[in-house]
Amino acid sequence: MTNTVYVLNGPNLNLLGMREPEIYGADTLDDIAAMLEDRARELGLEIEMRQSNHEGHLVDWLHEAQAEGAKAVLLNAAAYTHTSIALLDAIKAIRTPVIEVHLSDPSTREPFRHHSYVGLAAAKTVQGLGARSYLVALEAVAEL
Ligand code: CA2
């Protein structure tokens, strides 16, 4: 196993920091990547940060994380969280632990965000802390 943590981000998260800061905060995905890299260095971990608007890319990257011997995956599947049986199956198909991450707290938002397919197979969920959700999830990986 390597010390690499894949951080996979789903649809529209490339727009982070540009719209809806009252929900998702002012940090961009690059800001979050920089924060994670700083903390990862202290924890002796490496970050592989990716974003895609395409469900299949996220499935392929989950498989890749396992094939490359990643220590864990932090997954913010964005809207696919609430729709994707393909992502649920991919998480179940790999042995690499997956931690579900959300900036907002979907359980306090619209009812269609209350169900998470990702959460059915994730080792843990960290949500509602803004960009800090990613940092708390990374700290949980260091304890795996
Ligand atoms: O809170 C989260 O991290 C979410 O995964 C974000 C998703 C949402 O569908 C989930 O329910 C909760 C949406 C990401 C959209 O990102 C945007 C960023 C900037 C402007 C608009 C959307």
Side-chain angles (χ1 to χ4, degrees):
M1 200 216 292
T2 69
N3 281 333
T4 302
V5 177
Y6 277 56
V7 184
L8 305 182
N9 297 280
N12 299 305
L13 287 166
N14 54 311
L15 301 177
L16 213 56
M18 297 170 205
R19 290 188 48 206
E20 301 193 79
E22 66 288 358
I23 301 175
Y24 300 119
D27 291 313
T28 66
L29 211 52
D30 283 348
D31 294 333
I32 292 174
M35 276 185 241
L36 285 172
E37 271 155 22
D38 286 347
R39 188 69 185 117
R41 208 167 299 119
E42 293 167 357
L43 296 168
L45 299 170
E46 301 244 346
I47 298 295
E48 180 66 37
M49 186 84 169
R50 310 251 176 105
Q51 188 276 331
S52 177
N53 295 323
H54 304 277
E55 188 176 16
H57 289 165
L58 297 168
V59 171
D60 288 344
W61 292 340
L62 285 164
H63 298 173
E64 181 187 311
Q66 151 107 348
E68 294 296 323
K71 185 171 171 68
V73 176
L74 310 190
L75 174 63
N76 185 349
Y80 290 139
T81 302
H82 315 297
T83 63
S84 180
I85 298 170
L87 284 176
L88 170 61
D89 286 346
I91 296 165
K92 284 182 165 171
I94 62 173
R95 286 182 303 279
T96 315
V98 174
I99 300 186
E100 177 183 22
V101 178
H102 299 288
L103 296 150
S104 66
D105 180 353
S107 72
T108 63
R109 299 180 61 194
E110 305 94 320
F112 62 81
R113 297 185 201 274
H114 293 184
H115 180 261
S116 168
Y117 284 103
V118 168
L120 295 177
K124 185 182 170 87
T125 297
V126 184
Q127 62 190 23
L129 306 175
R132 220 165 64 78
S133 293
Y134 287 80
L135 284 176
V136 170
L138 186 64
E139 271 152 27
V141 168
E143 280 154 29
L144 288 175

